């Protein structure tokens, strides 16, 4: 009985690559695009403005509990950033049409949940456990410090997972 022959593994720089190695190389290549990262960060800045504005308006002017205002700001920014990323950062990734876009939006929410958890946790730790009272024009500046730190940590997680799982750039 003849054994089925496997194609030889590919080589890279004189080293044999397994399927897992090729997949990892595609993932790393997808994440290293400076143009895409620049666009993602630019979109993140827009999202951070929406996120922080919602937080400040709700918590400082309408009296909403800070943690609730953070969640409302995060959701607002996710929707804004998704729309921009869909049309600018990742315009050629994935299928087109309402159904495909809706599936990516749902996947984006799921994928961003890791970044949301990181962002929220960093915010709560800095704002509640490391609190330092700093105000300017009756606005709690420590709120902005905690929010900014949360955004930076969450954005790092989001870039990796959005690139690899929402828009699946490595498969393009």
């Amino acid at each position: 009985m003849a054994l089925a022959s496997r194609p030889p593994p590919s080589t890279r720089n004189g080293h044999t690559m397994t399927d897992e190695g090729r997949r990892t190389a595609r993932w790393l290549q997808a994440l290293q695009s400076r143009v895409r990262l620049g666009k993602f960060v630019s979109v993140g800045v827009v999202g951070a403005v929406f996120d922080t504005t919602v937080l400040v308006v709700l918590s400082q002017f309408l009296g909403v509990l800070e943690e609730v205002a953070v969640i409302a700001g995060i959701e607002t920014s996710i929707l804004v950033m998704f729309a921009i990323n869909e049309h600018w950062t990742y315009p050629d990734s994935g299928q087109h049409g309402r159904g495909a876009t809706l599936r990516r939006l749902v996947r984006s929410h799921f994928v961003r949940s890791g970044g949301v958890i990181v962002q929220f946790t960093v915010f709560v730790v800095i704002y509640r456990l490391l609190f330092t009272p700093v105000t300017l024009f009756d606005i709690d500046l420590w709120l902005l410090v905690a929010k900014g730190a949360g955004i930076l940590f969450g954005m790092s997680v989001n870039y990796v997972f959005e690139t690899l799982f929402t828009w699946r750039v490595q498969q393009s």
Side-chain angles (χ1 to χ4, degrees):
M1 172 153 72
L3 294 173
S5 65
R6 293 176 121 188
S10 64
T11 60
R12 185 174 184 151
N13 299 331
H15 300 287
T16 303
M17 287 186 81
T18 63
D19 288 340
E20 187 66 31
R22 284 189 294 276
R23 182 179 18 247
T24 301
R26 283 193 311 271
W27 284 16
L28 290 173
Q29 184 178 16
L31 294 171
Q32 290 175 353
S33 169
R34 289 183 180 176
V35 171
R36 188 179 306 110
L37 178 59
K39 286 180 174 182
F40 193 87
V41 170
S42 298
V43 172
V45 169
V46 172
V49 168
F50 277 86
D51 192 344
T52 305
T53 300
V54 169
L55 169 65
V56 169
V57 168
L58 291 178
S59 68
Q60 301 295 289
F61 298 110
L62 299 177
V64 174
L65 181 67
E66 288 83 356
E67 288 81 358
V68 173
V70 164
I71 296 299
I74 289 171
E75 180 59 24
T76 301
S77 70
I78 287 173
L79 294 172
V80 168
M81 290 184 301
F82 178 84
I84 297 170
N85 278 327
E86 179 76 6
H87 297 287
W88 186 52
T89 311
Y90 304 98
D92 300 323
S93 299
Q95 298 176 345
H96 298 285
R98 285 186 183 157
T101 301
L102 183 59
R103 284 189 297 279
R104 275 192 298 279
L105 178 60
V106 169
R107 191 167 50 236
S108 178
H109 270 79
F110 177 73
V111 166
R112 282 186 177 266
S113 64
V116 168
I117 291 167
V118 168
Q119 184 183 148
F120 186 76
T121 302
V122 168
F123 172 81
V124 169
V125 166
I126 291 174
Y127 190 70
R128 294 293 181 197
L129 299 179
L130 304 175
F131 181 77
T132 302
V134 181
T135 58
L136 180 65
F137 302 114
D138 289 329
I139 293 180
D140 180 0
L141 295 182
W142 194 249
L143 184 76
L144 301 178
V145 169
K147 184 62 179 172
I151 287 171
L152 288 175
F153 281 96
M155 183 183 68
S156 302
V157 171
N158 287 336
Y159 176 68
V160 171
F161 288 99
E162 288 281 50
T163 298
L164 299 179
F165 299 110
T166 300
W167 281 278
R168 300 177 180 178
V169 173
Q170 73 281 4
Q171 294 177 0
S172 299

